[in-house]
Amino acid sequence: MIKPILAINNLSFQYDKRSNHKNIDNISLAVAEGQWIAVIGQNGSGKSTLARIIVGLLEPQTGQIFVEGIEINEATKWKLRQKIGIVFQNPDNQFIGTTVQDDIAFSLENINMPYKEMVKRVDWALELTGMGPFRHHDPSRLSGGQKQRVAIASILALKPSIIVLDEAFVMLDPKSRESLISTLLSLRKTENISIISITHDMNEATAADHILRMKNGRIIKSGTPKEILQEDDELAAPIGEQLRRTLKKRGYQVPDSYMTEDGMVKWLWK
Ligand SMILES: Nc1ncnc2c1ncn2[C@@H]1O[C@H](COP(=O)(O)OP(=O)(O)O)[C@@H](O)[C@H]1O
Ligand SMILES: [Mg+2]
């Protein structure tokens, strides 16, 4: 097996230490280099808590986290956590620069990147997120979707090994969502970035190599998008699959397995 970039062993966490309810209940998982993992599950199932523990905003109470094979502890955490970036749902209040490009450059200045390299990285991140034309704009005055793209550009500029997206695409219109997803898909190949995306959007989950479904702080299902989404009526399936199920219920002869939108369109045209 490929060496995991992130490995979590028997992780547990609870906000209220007096209760006997664990918000994260004995979770183990591994993410390979360049792998895209989607995490789904109802509100309150522990997705954001898990994300906060992974990026170090919360300390786990039991269990271990390994990044590139090295355990996160007091001595290693500062260095290892630089390899993990997170983007939240609401990008407001996370801007520091007065222009988009200054904002992206800020985190690079923080790690003392040489000026020439910094300029290159900022240009690269602006290009990838389609925010080049807005580089001199005030980030606080952009639309919700544009702000989110700046937040994503700031994380990409750091070239982390792992990006955690906690419902980061919610504010985006479908078109920018699609284009960012395809940008991230190609970055996995060129930069070997691993992605953990927490999402309610089943089209986004379908882009993943693997889906984890959480409930009550536990992982209750783990598999490929096909395995997880097929015939799982609790989930809002992508449009192609919804159509397949409706046609099947009405007695039409449809393929038996899970279908993406593209797959459905091709099948309908036959
Ligand atoms: N800061 C907090 N203090 C106390 N309990 C919290 C806090 N944040 C979340 N919780 C609780 O932890 C559980 C998991 O929440 P969360 O990780 O936000 O779930 P999700 O992101 O899947 O919606 C929920 O029961 C929630 O009420
Ligand atoms: Mg959440």
Side-chain angles (χ1 to χ4, degrees), residues 43-44 46-49 52 89 166-167 198:
N43 280 335
K47 306 180 301 293
S48 294
T49 304
R52 285 189 212 117
Q89 180 176 335
D166 190 354
E167 300 191 34
I198 295 167

Side-chain angles (χ1 to χ4, degrees), residues 16-167:
D16 180 359
K17 289 171 192 91
R18 293 159 303 176
S19 88
N20 48 24
H21 174 76
K22 291 194 173 111
N23 302 101
I24 293 296
D25 190 359
N26 201 29
I27 281 187
S28 300
L29 60 89
V31 183
E33 201 170 77
Q35 194 180 26
W36 185 320
I37 293 205
V39 181
I40 61 174
Q42 288 164 355
N43 280 335
S45 55
K47 306 180 301 293
S48 294
T49 304
L50 179 64
R52 285 189 212 117
I53 296 171
I54 291 172
V55 300
L57 295 170
L58 291 172
E59 294 286 338
Q61 280 138 7
T62 60
Q64 300 142 310
I65 302 176
F66 297 85
V67 177
E68 294 176 356
I70 304 167
E71 185 177 354
I72 296 186
N73 57 32
E74 279 307 311
T76 58
K77 70 179 183 189
W78 193 79
K79 243 194 138 131
L80 292 179
R81 277 171 185 158
Q82 283 188 2
K83 297 177 188 289
I84 312 176
I86 187 163
V87 185
F88 296 103
Q89 180 176 335
N90 190 345
D92 273 333
N93 312 323
Q94 60 190 48
F95 298 112
I96 300 156
T98 52
T99 65
V100 166
Q101 67 176 17
D102 284 355
D103 199 79
I104 299 169
F106 184 79
S107 53
L108 303 176
E109 277 170 16
N110 253 351
I111 56 165
N112 296 318
M113 185 176 286
Y115 182 76
K116 258 185 150 168
E117 174 71 17
M118 197 164 77
V119 171
K120 267 197 227 154
R121 285 283 187 97
V122 171
D123 287 348
W124 179 76
L126 283 169
E127 167 89 37
L128 283 175
T129 52
M131 287 305 286
F134 299 91
R135 63 189 307 151
H136 301 297
H137 287 228
D138 176 353
S140 67
R141 302 183 66 172
L142 297 171
S143 74
Q146 290 167 335
K147 281 180 185 165
Q148 195 60 308
R149 284 195 269 161
V150 177
I152 292 167
S154 299
I155 295 297
L156 287 178
L158 287 160
K159 293 202 179 179
S161 313
I162 305 158
I163 297 183
V164 181
L165 303 165
D166 190 354
E167 300 191 34

